[in-house]
């Protein structure tokens, strides 16, 4: 629909949509950076969505049963900020809009979760939002199965652009959603035929309808500038028994006389002259950031549209038994159940005595076997390595269209999609997701794992086969740099437990975390119990602790994690036999150790004794601890990997790569 | 087709295919690990391919005009090893087969490029092979456009499984191949309906025919156990004007009485009893690793099938002018042109004088403007950030179906697919690929970037917007941990040049590398020329060097890279003004510095003076240089990032995060 017809036939709609467009143009111009073209293109679709379909109450942007609105095309952030401001979301003032992309504002270049309520997830890296949305929709289904339709009954709406659909992660999301028949998931495709380099045809010929239909989606189309047609498509979408793609045919930079339909509209300010010309075409005679009162009032009324529905929902929630209501709120806020600490303690105590020799991936399963029954909010899964990751426990059941109470997801061979879906579940609330693959394949999930950390959502990555100990599958499957990568990532707890006890402690920390994701790096191979003395206290919470003290004068400190703690203990035996007093420090989580008071860190790693670390991975993260945080603390050495692994049985690899107790003892002696 | 019919109607074919199956079962059993099910399922398809279609000459497995055979489903490595052995490839003996998955063998758990000729690429991480293959097919087209059909005229055949097709990277590959109409690319889909967790229906409902057709592929089907039907489909595929998917309906673990069609056949030895029973069903009465002479002879004849064709090709090559022939061989082997060194020197000299203030991404473009005209083998591209990555120079032209001489590829928003395609081009030979995105989005390409390093292929990643200097786009687009990640990866040169001179030197190293990929981390923001004294020598080749010496007594050494070298120089001014003698070391490549002789490293970083490093990224990779390789060398400090960035103008961010000359000077003084 062209602008003249729109203005004539739908004047009220038009002016509301223009308010979005004007704010987007003005804010990008004021910041002298940003993306005006997408908000200008999708303003009509968004206006109809918020006016007629989205279940929300602007004054209460965290109402649990609201529809979720995900801007997967995050560069169009001004669309979201404008909608939040116009509808009257309390966090979003006109000052924030004026401060778009400035230090300290809530209006970052791309939507940042936590900056303002109503920003449901952090987007910008393309394809993440649509894959998050799959997780949102899964969480909604799971919560509905637990608490009933009166309490949980909402949709997840996504705006995705061509960039989102070209990223591989979108295929993983589409496939997972199609299999799961997530009919509460509705994706609005901003089909404007433009990417940064130019027309889509430069790089793609994909028929998206056919592609989505191939994975079991329903596909609808509408003129993305015709409010009646948009409304029709959305109404139909809500009746679908499958996830829905609505192909919204739009014009990027709609109405800009010189930039509409051009890549130039995508990522740069239009310029004052072009804005002036565009506003003239719009019939929008207002200055920068100026929204006339009648139009603002109309938007604010939209913002209040869902208030009665929210109140009715609150009444229904209040009508639940207090136990049910408390449980709903506990799950939603992510508080761990009271029993968790005691359950972990009991498991630790029992196994400090029993001292099983199991792989930490198996230990992880043993933890989950006692945790899952008391945490109905967990949803586990694996990217098609269930039997290897040991992520499925007996009581979970399979989450599928026929069983929404199932708590185990076969994600398929989709590490990136799994990680992003877990982010979505955690953001939705009510679900504590964990998912597994091999540690090496964090490479495939990295884009979403970074966002777990940036957003601060406590998902748990169960990453097994964490070194050359994987053996015969060879270097493509053997992580060597991945521990360094996880540890280099801010706000990520990288746990590498040495035995079942530390594994239980790591899980306890991961499952009680509120703002930090966890990576559990777990062994394929069996490991002895090294923590044979039970403590109620969670020693892993300190990041590192003295596992065995030196006998006699302390001349050396060995540091190790995971499967190499056993090697460090054997090296200590060798050294002590030669009269070299040797302390062994187990360091299951460097990040938590770094957060300890300096006094504790100095107690564990006093200056003076030679330090040698052993880990079947690259040295990079160790230098800080070996060399001392300020330098000059100790002579130091490292036993580990300095290149890729190889294909052979694990024991042979440890020997060939020189990661042995003897090598550790020799290294110490060479430094004394 | 069932086994009885096969044995009756196609006895010769059957026994040849059984030779593959038997070797796969025997080798996996002997190793007590591996994946027998896939080779057993695809043996008929592979036999027909090698017997009737694949252009190859086993005795000359690196004949440049051979068809490429890519085992994307790399876990089925025994299929490839068996084929190489049976056809008589010189690197693959029965001893190697017997030593499957053992230390030092060529027969790693997954195919490793470089272990034996005939292994065209390293596969195992799923989806990589099919995405490499797109690069192989692009390289073939590009070389054919340069040297003509008489010299370059081959196909790329891929075996891909459901896992490959579920990974997101496959969608990127399919989309790129479809757009590029790569009709020499034929993918044989091992459609056995099984993944590790069980039936595909557990996780996917995708109609693959519809999905591939949606991206412009031709789709054919065959009974993957009927040699006539397989032959028909392959014959038809070679006539296509588009890339082809052949849906080969197969049974995993074909013929195994208890494991066929089950996940159990995928990744474990069948067991001696099951192998015995299976061999009985096959009518294969031979012991482990035993291939009767007549069957071996039949296979060896297949291996010689292409000898005449190869000889004819060699005659055609010999008939070229010696200049053409030399150029063909130079490009194929990856030798840089003679002029390169002089060209880089001239650019350096000119700009040491001119001292431009440009972003290093712009500097990179200035280098490419002089390099691309003298290196016809370069193929540049970007994942839809051409104008930001500055990867396109004037002379390149666009590579597309209508212009195979074009040397610039619009990869679309497909970072992972781009990286894997570049690996494929480099492996094919004749092409030196480089491609760009933002440094932050190495997260999306990590899976393929690791394989560049593991395989040792010298692709160049042009990663711009390399810090918070990116500014307003915010933390989703600002790398902080990515330099650490690249540096943690073995066999990867991470260059972070400080100005145009270092950028030119980095490019020279990247373009002359034979076995190491390069990451160029380049600034968005303008940087002054800091190397104002011209040297012919490439100082970046030493990894780090003295950029400014201390005046007076040397009390401090500042280390910096890229955009922070300017800050270090200003800090030096502050310190020298206070009489604190300060050396500035520019460190554009830590990996190359680590390779220098100890004497050089000690010369650059003598023990004693305080060391402070400044880099707008996390500290992890710096500790080694700050604290000294053996510890106890110096008091040290770091000025950089310890968390994620934020959205604001770049200068404000540097100030807010405390990455300033003043902060560096203060840090030095606090340590003196």
């Amino acid at each position: 629909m062209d602008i003249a017809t729109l203005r004539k036939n739908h004047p009220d709609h038009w002016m509301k949509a223009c308010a979005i467009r004007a704010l987007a143009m003005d804010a990008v111009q004021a910041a002298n950076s940003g993306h005006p073209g997408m908000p200008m293109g999708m303003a009509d679709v968004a206006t109809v969505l918020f006016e007629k379909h989205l279940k929300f109450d602007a004054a209460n942007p965290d109402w649990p049963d609201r529809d979720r609105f995900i801007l997967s095309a995050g560069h169009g952030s001004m669309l979201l900020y404008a909608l939040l401001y116009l509808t009257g979301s309390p966090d979003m003032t006109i000052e924030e809009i004026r401060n778009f992309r400035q230090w300290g504002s809530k209006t970052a270049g791309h939507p940042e979760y936590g900056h303002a309520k109503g920003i449901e997830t952090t987007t910008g890296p393309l394809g993440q939002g649509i894959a998050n949305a799959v997780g949102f929709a899964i969480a909604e289904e799971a919560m509905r199965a637990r608490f009933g339709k009166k309490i949980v009954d909402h949709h997840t709406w996504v705006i995705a652009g061509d960039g989102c659909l070209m990223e591989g992660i979108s295929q993983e999301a589409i496939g997972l959603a199609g299999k799961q028949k997530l009919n509460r998931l509705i994706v609005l495709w901003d089909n404007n035929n433009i990417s940064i380099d130019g027309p889509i045809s430069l790089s793609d010929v994909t028929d998206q309808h056919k592609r989505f239909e191939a994975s079991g989606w329903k596909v609808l189309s509408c003129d993305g500038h015709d409010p009646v047609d948009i409304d029709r498509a959305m109404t139909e979408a809500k009746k679908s028994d499958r996830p829905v793609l609505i192909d919204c045919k739009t014009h990027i930079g709609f109405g800009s006389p010189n930039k509409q339909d051009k890549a130039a509209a995508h990522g740069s300010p239009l310029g004052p002259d072009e804005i002036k010309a565009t506003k003239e075409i719009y019939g929008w005679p207002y200055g920068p950031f100026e929204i006339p009162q009648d139009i603002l009032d109309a938007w604010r009324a939209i913002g209040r549209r869902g208030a009665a529905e929210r109140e009715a929902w609150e009444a229904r929630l209040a009508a639940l038994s207090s136990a049910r209501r408390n449980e709903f709120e506990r799950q939603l806020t992510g508080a761990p159940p009271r029993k968790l600490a005691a359950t972990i303690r009991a498991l630790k105590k029992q196994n400090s005595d029993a001292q099983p020799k199991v792989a930490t991936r198996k230990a992880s399963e043993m933890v989950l076997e006692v945790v899952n029954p008391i945490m109905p909010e967990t949803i586990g899964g694996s990217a098609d390595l269930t039997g290897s990751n040991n992520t499925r426990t007996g009581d979970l059941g399979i989450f599928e269209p026929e069983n929404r109470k199932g708590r185990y997801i076969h994600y398929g061979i989709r590490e990136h999609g799994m990680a992003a879906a877990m982010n979505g579940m955690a953001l939705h609330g009510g679900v504590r997701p964990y998912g597994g693959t091999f540690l090496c394949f964090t490479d495939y999930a990295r884009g979403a794992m970074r966002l777990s950390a940036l957003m601060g959502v406590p998902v748990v990555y169960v990453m097994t086969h964490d070194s050359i100990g994987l053996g015969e599958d060879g270097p493509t499957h053997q992580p060597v740099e991945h521990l360094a990568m996880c540890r280099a990532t801010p706000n990520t707890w990288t746990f590498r437990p040495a035995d079942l006890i530390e594994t239980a402690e790591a899980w306890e920390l991961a499952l009680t975390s509120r703002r930090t994701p966890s990576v559990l790096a777990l062994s394929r191979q069996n490991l002895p119990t090294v923590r044979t003395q039970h403590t109620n206290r969670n020693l892993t919470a300190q990041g590192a602790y003295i596992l065995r003290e030196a006998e006699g004068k302390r001349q050396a400190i060995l540091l190790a994690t995971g499967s190499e703690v056993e090697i460090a203990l054997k090296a200590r035996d060798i050294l002590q036999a030669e009269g070299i007093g040797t302390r062994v420090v187990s360091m299951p989580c460097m990040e938590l150790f770094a957060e300890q008071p300096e006094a504790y860190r100095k107690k564990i790693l006093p200056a003076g004794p030679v330090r040698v670390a052993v880990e079947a991975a690259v040295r990079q993260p160790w230098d800080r601890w070996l060399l001392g945080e300020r330098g000059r603390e100790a002579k130091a050495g490292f036993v580990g990997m300095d290149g890729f692994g190889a294909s052979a049985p694990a024991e042979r690899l440890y020997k060939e790569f020189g990661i042995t107790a003897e090598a550790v003892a020799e290294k110490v002696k060479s430094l004394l």
Side-chain angles (χ1 to χ4, degrees), chain A residues 394-528:
Chain A
D395 62 319
L396 291 182
I398 304 299
F399 181 87
E400 51 193 352
E402 301 73 30
N403 180 25
R404 296 306 196 193
K405 291 200 167 172
R407 288 164 55 201
Y408 193 79
I409 299 180
H410 287 291
Y411 284 104
I413 302 103
R414 302 183 179 113
E415 299 82 7
H416 205 177
M418 173 177 76
M422 290 201 293
N423 283 342
M425 285 181 231
L427 289 163
H428 178 280
V431 171
R432 207 172 255 278
Y434 69 85
T437 183
F438 287 169
L439 180 60
C440 212
F441 301 136
T442 54
D443 281 349
Y444 279 61
R446 178 59 53 198
M449 291 176 75
R450 182 177 208 251
L451 285 165
S452 309
L454 179 58
M455 292 191 278
V457 289
V459 303
V460 186
Y461 295 99
V462 182
M463 299 309 198
T464 69
H465 296 65
D466 69 349
S467 74
I468 54 168
L470 163 140
E472 292 88 344
D473 272 351
T476 53
H477 288 52
Q478 291 163 356
V480 295
E481 69 275 41
H482 301 79
L483 290 170
M485 290 175 168
C486 293
R487 290 167 180 157
T489 307
N491 193 38
T492 301
W493 288 338
T494 308
F495 294 106
R496 191 162 186 256
D499 64 5
L500 192 152
I501 312 299
E502 285 189 1
T503 306
E505 292 179 339
W507 263 113
E508 182 178 27
L509 294 161
L511 291 171
T512 53
S513 169
R514 295 293 183 98
R515 299 260 173 279
T516 303
S518 298
V519 175
L520 303 187
L522 303 172
S523 77
R524 177 195 185 201
Q525 67 273 37
N526 286 340
L527 304 175

Side-chain angles (χ1 to χ4, degrees), chain A residues 216-244:
Chain A
W217 287 54
K218 184 181 183 73
V219 177
L220 303 170
S221 292
C222 69
D223 174 344
H225 299 296
D226 177 346
V228 175
D229 203 36
I230 297 165
D231 180 40
R232 173 200 53 75
M234 290 182 180
T235 303
E236 196 177 335
K238 289 194 288 188
K239 294 177 194 153
S240 173
D241 61 350
R242 291 166 288 152
V244 182

Side-chain angles (χ1 to χ4, degrees), chain A residues 146-378:
Chain A
R146 283 182 228 153
F147 293 99
K149 199 173 168 178
K150 287 185 177 172
I151 302 299
V152 183
D153 182 21
H154 53 266
H155 284 79
T156 302
W157 301 84
V158 180
I159 289 182
D162 289 294
C164 292
L165 301 194
M166 239 188 273
E167 290 287 2
I169 188 176
S170 68
Q171 183 65 22
E172 300 185 16
I174 293 165
L176 184 56
K179 152 68 198 175
Q180 290 289 352
K181 293 203 173 88
L182 299 171
N183 67 325
R184 303 296 190 97
L185 173 63
I186 302 171
V187 174
L188 308 163
W189 169 31
D190 178 19
N191 180 8
N192 63 25
N193 208 27
I194 288 291
S195 75
I196 291 175
D197 278 4
I200 294 297
S201 60
L202 280 177
S203 57
D204 201 26
V205 295
T206 298
D207 176 339
Q208 298 290 359
H209 291 218
K210 214 166 164 176
R211 176 186 171 209
F212 276 77
E213 283 167 0
S215 287
W217 287 54
K218 184 181 183 73
V219 177
L220 303 170
S221 292
C222 69
D223 174 344
H225 299 296
D226 177 346
V228 175
D229 203 36
I230 297 165
D231 180 40
R232 173 200 53 75
M234 290 182 180
T235 303
E236 196 177 335
K238 289 194 288 188
K239 294 177 194 153
S240 173
D241 61 350
R242 291 166 288 152
V244 182
L245 177 78
I246 304 182
D247 172 352
C248 306
K249 290 192 176 52
T250 62
H251 296 280
I252 191 169
F254 190 52
S256 161
N258 298 300
K259 298 195 176 175
Q260 177 181 311
D261 299 324
K262 292 180 186 157
H266 169 81
S268 308
L270 295 185
D273 293 346
E274 187 72 8
I275 290 178
K276 187 155 173 272
T278 307
K279 286 188 176 177
E280 264 168 37
I281 287 169
Y282 286 174
W284 182 269
Y286 312 109
F289 303 105
E290 185 186 344
I291 307 291
Q293 195 59 47
D294 61 327
I295 295 170
L296 189 61
D297 288 345
W299 266 114
R300 294 286 154 97
I302 292 172
R304 287 187 299 272
R305 191 171 55 77
E309 206 169 353
R310 176 189 52 79
E311 283 161 17
W313 178 87
E314 282 176 354
R316 292 196 299 275
L317 184 72
L320 292 185
S321 73
S322 71
R324 287 279 285 165
R325 201 169 57 240
N326 289 344
E327 184 60 11
F328 178 78
E329 278 162 8
R330 185 191 68 76
Q331 291 185 20
L332 206 68
T333 54
R338 288 211 189 126
K339 275 188 193 167
L340 180 63
T343 302
I344 295 286
R345 274 202 304 274
L347 185 74
K348 280 169 60 182
K349 177 143 184 39
Q350 179 193 337
N351 286 288
S352 301
D353 297 339
Q355 301 182 12
K357 183 165 181 165
V358 294
T360 46
R361 63 180 170 134
K362 177 69 185 168
S364 168
E365 183 185 347
M366 292 164 73
V367 177
L368 290 170
E369 288 286 5
V370 297
V371 161
N372 278 332
I374 62 163
M375 290 187 77
E377 65 268 37
T378 58

